[in-house]
Amino acid sequence: MELISSEFNSDNLIEITNLTVIRSDFPVFSPVNFSLGAGQAMQIRGTNGAGKTTLLRAICGLCHSLEGEISWNDEVITPAHQNFYQSLLYIGHALGLKPKLTIEQNLSFFQQLRFELDSQLIQEAMQAFGIAELYDEYVAKLSAGQKRRVSLCRIITEPVPLWILDEPLVALDVDGQQWMLDICNQHLERGGILLITSHQPINGIHNLRELTLS
Amino acid sequence: MKNFNRIVTRELSVVFRSQSEFVYPLAFFIMVTSMFPLAVTPEPAQLAFIAPGVIWVAALLSLLLSLNAFYQSDFQDGSLEQMLLAGVSGSLIILAKAFANWIVTGLPLVLIAPIIGVLLNLELQANMIAMLALLIGTPSLCLIGAIGINLTVGLRNGGVLLTLLVLPLFIPILIFGASAVEAASIGKNYSGQLAILAAILILSLMLAPFAAAAAMKISID
């Protein structure tokens, strides 16, 4: 099952230098340094409240009280950095799905913000994720795991090199988790970059580096 | 521009799926305005005297009521941050949402106002001016309201704060809107008031999206 067809630029590089987020005058975690190039993956670890989600959101540019520097392909990221936002997919705890729209409406809306509409690809993604029969279903009627699957379909419908996934395995069943790990591996083989958090141990992603927040 | 259309379409399809939430402000407008003849006086001359104020106050409050439905859920379910992360600028999101807000709440008010005007014994001329003034004034209300709701959307009890923040900014529109209708009903020149309403609209079109986008980013942080 080969779903990711695009090859990514092998020069892509995200660099994090001395990054920390300040909340009520105190840093949430001690400064973080790392860089990830094409084909590299990193898992962020830490106890509850250690700041994993905060770190990921800071990298995405959703936190403003941060110190340090994030650069994408040697350019420091500013809020108006189109190049970076064309290359990024962040899936967090809030899935960004509208309960009152169908799965297809939700997925095609996000796809069209950055890419041309490709209904074929959306159907293939849903097929691969085992929710093809729910194509016209309203998101409100889905279970937590099915909603998670819908949001994860975006990693296929929006082919971008940098995936930032916050607890993507939550609410997925065993098959879903395995499928997710397979797709992550395919992504890395094609020169993608992966930044992931998870409380479960992740076995099966090749060369997964670890970073523990303190 | 394409993204503007997409966001508007999406907002409207959400509205279409949950009408009750969005019909409420319009129902509020009709209820409040139709209660005045019962509560104050059925005397035609006096009704015509209070009509401009009643229509404008009710329009303003019902627009204030509509804001939450348009911004709260997008903020909570994460679709707002997803739109930002897809590279759509904050001010474009605001502009699209305010436009959808106006289509769903403002435009029906404009269309129903003449009927309410007849109910409140406004003359034909004043009634048409009320409609025109609402047509120019309500988009500004949606845009200014967007600033307030984006500042308070992340707070647990933002409702009261929203009212405190936004109502003072609504006052000029209220004053000039109502006074345009009043001037028309006593046969005076009303073009000055309409021109000021138009000026406020241009000003809020230019500035409100940026202010609201900045507020949105603070709320998301």
Side-chain angles (χ1 to χ4, degrees):
Chain A
M1 185 180 54
E2 292 286 310
L3 274 165
I4 304 173
S5 49
S6 42
E7 291 277 349
F8 298 116
N9 189 344
S10 59
D11 295 335
N12 284 336
L13 178 70
I14 183 164
E15 275 183 301
I16 313 289
T17 325
N18 280 325
L19 180 71
T20 186
V21 178
I22 312 293
R23 287 261 188 270
S24 359
D25 289 339
F26 289 100
V28 180
F29 42 79
S30 44
V32 167
N33 284 290
F34 65 86
S35 67
L36 287 174
Q40 293 182 326
M42 177 170 292
Q43 178 183 7
I44 315 283
R45 307 197 59 158
T47 51
N48 289 130
K52 300 185 290 295
T53 298
T54 311
L55 172 64
L56 295 190
R57 290 176 66 87
I59 294 173
C60 294
L62 292 173
C63 285
H64 301 282
S65 46
L66 55 84
E67 280 180 3
E69 218 172 70
I70 307 152
S71 64
W72 172 249
N73 295 345
D74 296 327
E75 285 177 56
V76 176
I77 291 167
T78 58
H81 198 291
Q82 282 303 318
N83 220 339
F84 178 63
Y85 289 114
Q86 287 298 321
S87 319
L88 165 81
L89 180 67
Y90 165 74
I91 294 180
H93 291 284
L95 301 174
L97 303 173
K98 278 261 155 266
K100 301 223 165 104
L101 299 181
T102 65
I103 298 181
E104 188 268 336
Q105 284 173 317
N106 270 298
L107 289 176
S108 59
F109 171 73
F110 284 122
Q111 188 179 43
Q112 282 179 309
L113 287 181
R114 286 189 286 187
F115 300 92
E116 289 298 308
L117 179 65
D118 185 349
S119 315
Q120 181 85 28
L121 189 62
I122 292 180
Q123 269 174 353
E124 280 172 19
M126 291 178 62
Q127 191 114 37
F129 234 150
I131 46 175
E133 71 280 9
L134 302 171
Y135 192 72
D136 278 328
E137 195 63 78
Y138 289 100
V139 169
K141 294 185 179 164
L142 303 182
S143 75
Q146 285 172 325
K147 280 182 196 159
R148 175 66 67 168
R149 282 171 184 243
V150 174
S151 72
L152 288 171
C153 277
R154 291 183 55 206
I155 63 183
I156 292 165
T157 60
E158 293 164 46
V160 292
L162 177 60
W163 291 359
I164 298 186
L165 308 177
D166 195 1
E167 300 276 0
L169 304 181
V170 164
L172 288 185
D173 57 26
V174 179
D175 288 345
Q177 294 187 4
Q178 189 53 49
W179 186 84
M180 192 58 217
L181 296 178
D182 288 345
I183 207 85
C184 284
N185 274 328
Q186 283 183 31
H187 177 63
L188 295 172
E189 277 162 28
R190 294 185 188 277
I193 302 174
L194 173 67
L195 204 55
I196 192 170
T197 66
S198 173
H199 285 293
Q200 291 111 316
I202 300 182
N203 306 316
I205 293 183
H206 307 310
N207 303 324
L208 183 66
R209 284 151 64 192
E210 276 190 13
L211 175 82
T212 307
L213 292 182
S214 54
Chain B
M1 195 59 210
K2 271 185 188 168
N3 285 342
F4 177 85
N5 291 339
R6 280 185 196 119
I7 298 172
V8 172
T9 318
R10 173 177 142 113
E11 290 289 324
L12 295 182
S13 18
V14 171
V15 170
F16 184 70
R17 280 277 302 157
S18 52
Q19 292 104 335
S20 63
E21 209 175 326
F22 296 92
V23 166
Y24 181 54
L26 185 65
F28 174 85
F29 178 74
I30 298 170
M31 279 191 308
V32 169
T33 46
S34 60
M35 259 180 234
F36 270 86
L38 303 175
V40 183
T41 166
E43 179 73 38
Q46 288 193 24
L47 272 183
F49 180 69
I50 59 165
V54 170
I55 290 178
W56 268 93
V57 169
L60 193 144
L61 291 177
S62 75
L63 264 168
L64 199 60
L65 269 180
S66 76
L67 290 172
N68 216 25
F70 274 90
Y71 293 88
Q72 186 88 36
S73 70
D74 262 12
F75 176 78
Q76 273 167 353
D77 65 22
S79 28
L80 210 53
E81 60 191 41
Q82 287 296 344
M83 283 190 248
L84 286 174
L85 291 180
V88 187
S89 77
S91 42
L92 185 75
I93 298 176
I94 298 293
L95 213 51
K97 287 179 79 77
F99 182 65
N101 184 357
W102 183 76
I103 294 274
V104 175
T105 319
L107 191 58
L109 290 188
V110 174
L111 297 176
I112 206 136
I115 301 173
I116 301 296
V118 170
L119 195 76
L120 296 175
N121 197 38
L122 268 185
E123 295 161 27
L124 184 66
Q125 159 97 349
N127 216 347
M128 288 303 112
I129 296 308
M131 201 177 169
L132 188 61
L134 280 173
L135 186 70
I136 310 173
T138 45
S140 321
L141 296 179
C142 292
L143 285 161
I144 295 170
I147 306 175
I149 188 75
N150 277 289
L151 268 175
T152 56
V153 74
L155 307 176
R156 210 164 296 152
N157 289 316
V160 181
L161 191 58
L162 169 70
T163 318
L164 286 174
L165 280 172
V166 163
L167 277 184
L169 295 171
F170 279 2
I171 299 288
I173 303 170
L174 176 75
I175 292 174
F176 288 107
S179 103
V181 184
E182 211 181 305
S185 69
I186 55 172
K188 278 191 180 168
N189 189 359
Y190 46 79
S191 55
Q193 287 92 327
L194 289 182
I196 289 182
L197 282 183
I200 294 175
L201 174 58
I202 292 170
L203 197 67
S204 45
L205 255 180
M206 275 169 20
L207 299 178
F210 297 102
M216 178 167 82
K217 281 174 189 162
I218 294 170
S219 289
I220 281 181
D221 193 346

